[in-house]
Amino acid sequence: MRQPIMYISIISLVLLAACSFMASANGTTVSQEVKEYSEYDLDMKSEILEFEEYHITIHYPETPNTQINQTIIDYVNQIKSKFKQESYQAMQVMKSHSSHELHVDFEVLHESEQYFVIHFDETMDVGYPDISKSRTIMNFKKENGQRLETEDLFNQEVDYLQALADLTHEKLEEEFGKEIKQNSFLEKATAPLPSNYQNVAINSGGVTIFFRDGVQPEEISLKMDNINEFLHPEITVVENEALHEAAPSIEGLKSININGEDVKRPHGENKKIALTFDDGPHPQKTLEILKVLERYDAKGTFFMLGKRVSYYPETAQEVVTEGHEIGNHTWNHPRLTRLSRDEVVRQIQATKEIIQHVTGEETTRVRLPFGENLSAPYYGTMEIVPWDVSVETWRKENPRQIADTFISEINDGDIVLLHDLEGSTPEVLDLILASLSYEGYEFVTLSQLEEK
């Protein structure tokens, strides 16, 4: 009798293991599906490069989908290559030595279970009277990371361009009246041509058409009821299905005034310097910097980008919790001298408001991108903060060489400029603080430096 019992026991164990395995496998499948169709946990990547010939500021998202990330990186590399080529050609033609600029920023327009849609704004200034402005819309299928061009969204068996043009004209006439037909520029910009409809974005309940730069209005939205018969059979948009609609922006903000006075730095007997950090916060690198500062009982002032604060509020809060100061470094690091007065105001005010919302701190200092002056006179409570010591050769030297350059140039009462986004900053900072601590320096915030 023992042998049959043994067989039964073995069979039971096998069945239990099989059930357990199937349950585990099913659980894994469900978990993967939930993860695949949940809202993306995004990282914000920023490339900020300053050279004598040109300035580059590019912000872009990093998603959990490697295929989407590769498409975005390819786009970033292509636009950088295009800018450098046009910058070089412009310098040959105009023989001008003024610095050129590339500025790229993004917003997540829409995210649902099926789609992820990004809007890139591109500004390219290579010295010509007219600054080039453009946009790029990317629609992605989250299932496989495929980018959907406009032709992929619509049924190729119908004349979708003519349908889009007709629906666009109807929408414009509905919103702005029949006199819109007399606008020849708008008529050309909405004609049924591929170049006019290359930036079409999926949204919750339809699509949004973005027109080329200079066209007013800049965009219109068409509801699913109007476009459904022209869409590709595999494209499904469910009204109110969106997980995410529109990232924080700088539009519609209150007015603010600032001035251009330098920071007062009276010198006393005790040697002090103010450590300042630009372009953050960064979820890893900023925290590494905080650890180095803590080891030397040092304090610093972090000039943050408003858009990065909106992505990494916990990091910004940690800076304040550790006893450091936060300053304003604009929303997304543009060349302010290229902007209108209202645009400059929005850049600074949006950053001031997001910092106060996240940390409870009201910032009173601003550092302007690339160390430039404002494009117009401002007066008020914001104090523009320059710097005394920085190193422009971060990417050409090792941390020891960079630190030695800093150490050789720093004097009592100086404001020192470093950057959160530079990978070697924590190591360079450690070397600087170790050497200057030995020389009796104290490392303070800007407020503490002014008290000296």
Side-chain angles (χ1 to χ4, degrees):
M1 290 294 293
R2 293 181 62 184
Q3 196 172 33
I5 293 174
M6 184 180 297
Y7 288 149
I8 292 171
S9 300
I10 292 172
I11 293 170
S12 299
L13 288 172
V14 170
L15 289 173
L16 285 171
C19 291
S20 176
F21 175 81
M22 292 174 63
S24 175
N26 290 336
T28 301
T29 302
V30 171
S31 175
Q32 289 175 343
E33 287 177 353
V34 170
K35 183 176 181 181
E36 180 180 355
Y37 292 121
S38 62
E39 183 174 358
Y40 280 160
D41 183 12
L42 298 179
D43 274 337
M44 175 182 169
K45 300 297 182 181
S46 298
E47 294 185 22
I48 300 175
L49 306 174
E50 182 177 4
F51 297 100
E52 184 177 349
E53 298 84 3
Y54 57 80
H55 296 159
I56 294 178
T57 303
I58 300 178
H59 307 289
Y60 60 94
E62 184 179 72
T63 77
N65 188 305
T66 55
Q67 182 62 44
I68 293 177
N69 294 342
Q70 188 58 56
T71 301
I72 294 172
I73 290 171
D74 290 344
Y75 154 79
V76 168
N77 290 333
Q78 288 168 7
I79 198 166
K80 284 193 294 187
S81 178
K82 177 183 177 183
F83 166 70
K84 290 177 182 179
Q85 183 178 6
E86 293 194 12
S87 175
Y88 176 78
Q89 292 173 348
M91 284 191 287
Q92 303 308 305
V93 172
M94 297 189 296
K95 307 297 181 184
S96 172
H97 297 288
S98 62
S99 62
H100 297 166
E101 179 195 14
L102 172 65
H103 187 273
V104 180
D105 198 8
F106 76 94
E107 287 187 20
V108 177
L109 290 181
H110 172 79
E111 182 178 2
S112 65
E113 290 186 350
Q114 293 178 294
Y115 305 111
F116 181 71
V117 185
I118 317 170
H119 178 188
F120 288 99
D121 270 316
E122 305 126 1
T123 301
M124 193 178 298
D125 182 356
V126 294
Y128 294 123
D130 294 328
I131 297 175
S132 172
K133 294 186 177 182
S134 57
R135 61 170 55 92
T136 299
I137 302 296
M138 294 186 184
N139 300 278
F140 292 100
K141 289 181 68 174
K142 294 174 72 174
E143 180 182 10
N144 56 12
Q146 176 191 358
R147 181 181 176 184
L148 302 171
E149 304 290 354
T150 300
E151 55 266 29
D152 299 321
L153 302 178
F154 294 93
N155 191 337
Q156 298 299 306
E157 296 180 1
V158 301
D159 190 349
Y160 72 91
L161 287 173
Q162 186 62 58
L164 283 176
D166 292 342
L167 291 171
T168 297
H169 292 156
E170 290 177 13
K171 183 71 172 180
L172 290 172
E173 189 173 319
E174 175 187 327
E175 293 190 5
F176 301 100
K178 294 186 177 181
E179 62 271 14
I180 200 76
K181 292 183 178 180
Q182 301 173 2
N183 188 328
S184 59
F185 179 71
L186 187 58
E187 188 73 21
K188 291 180 181 179
T190 57
L193 300 173
S195 58
N196 286 337
Y197 295 94
Q198 62 183 355
N199 286 317
V200 177
I202 296 171
N203 63 38
S204 55
V207 299
T208 300
I209 299 170
F210 292 87
F211 303 121
R212 65 174 182 265
D213 185 57
V215 177
Q216 292 295 330
E218 295 183 353
E219 63 188 74
I220 64 163
S221 292
L222 302 177
K223 293 184 178 180
M224 176 59 80
D225 291 343
N226 297 324
I227 64 167
N228 188 44
E229 61 180 301
F230 306 111
L231 286 176
H232 191 283
E234 293 183 1
I235 300 298
T236 57
V237 181
V238 179
E239 190 170 1
N240 298 324
E241 70 167 346
L243 299 171
H244 176 97
E245 291 288 351
S249 70
I250 63 172
E251 300 302 322
L253 293 163
K254 299 187 292 292
S255 174
I256 186 174
N257 294 320
I258 57 182
N259 64 27
E261 293 184 3
D262 199 344
V263 177
K264 298 178 182 179
R265 301 189 300 279
H267 292 263
E269 295 181 359
N270 299 324
K271 291 192 292 186
K272 295 181 179 180
I273 61 171
L275 300 168
T276 65
F277 304 88
D278 284 10
D279 304 337
H282 188 280
Q284 286 86 40
K285 295 171 186 174
T286 301
L287 296 181
E288 291 176 14
I289 291 170
L290 293 180
K291 290 179 181 178
V292 176
L293 293 174
E294 184 180 12
R295 283 203 298 271
Y296 293 90
D297 193 25
K299 298 300 178 185
T301 303
F302 291 74
F303 286 93
M304 296 186 175
L305 298 176
K307 185 156 189 168
R308 293 192 66 85
V309 172
S310 73
Y311 271 77
Y312 307 111
E314 296 88 356
T315 306
Q317 180 58 57
E318 184 65 19
V319 170
V320 173
T321 300
E322 293 294 322
H324 306 283
E325 288 185 342
I326 290 185
N328 188 320
H329 198 38
T330 72
W331 183 259
N332 55 14
H333 207 281
R335 289 281 293 275
L336 296 185
T337 52
R338 263 67 164 195
L339 302 183
S340 69
R341 183 187 189 282
D342 288 343
E343 289 171 326
V344 172
V345 167
R346 286 198 297 271
Q347 283 281 333
I348 295 172
Q349 182 64 22
T351 306
K352 182 175 182 179
E353 290 181 0
I354 192 68
I355 289 174
Q356 186 167 12
H357 174 73
V358 167
T359 69
E361 298 292 313
E362 183 174 0
T363 55
T364 59
R365 294 181 175 87
V366 58
R367 174 167 285 158
L368 307 182
F370 309 112
E372 293 186 321
N373 293 319
L374 289 174
S375 54
Y378 293 80
Y379 305 94
T381 58
M382 295 294 286
E383 183 178 33
I384 297 177
V385 180
W387 62 84
D388 299 304
V389 185
S390 67
V391 172
E392 305 299 334
T393 55
W394 282 88
R395 293 170 180 83
K396 297 179 181 179
E397 298 180 346
N398 62 46
R400 178 74 264 179
Q401 292 172 315
I402 297 169
D404 286 344
T405 301
F406 270 110
I407 293 166
S408 66
E409 296 182 2
I410 288 174
N411 293 298
D412 180 30
D414 279 346
I415 297 176
V416 179
L417 169 61
L418 300 105
H419 297 84
D420 290 58
L421 304 186
E422 294 290 348
S424 60
T425 293
E427 185 177 353
V428 170
L429 179 64
D430 201 346
L431 293 168
I432 293 172
L433 298 188
S435 177
L436 295 185
S437 293
Y438 181 78
E439 296 181 24
Y441 274 91
E442 185 180 354
F443 313 106
V444 299
T445 64
L446 287 169
S447 295
Q448 292 168 330
L449 188 66
E450 290 181 340
E451 296 170 358
K452 183 174 177 180

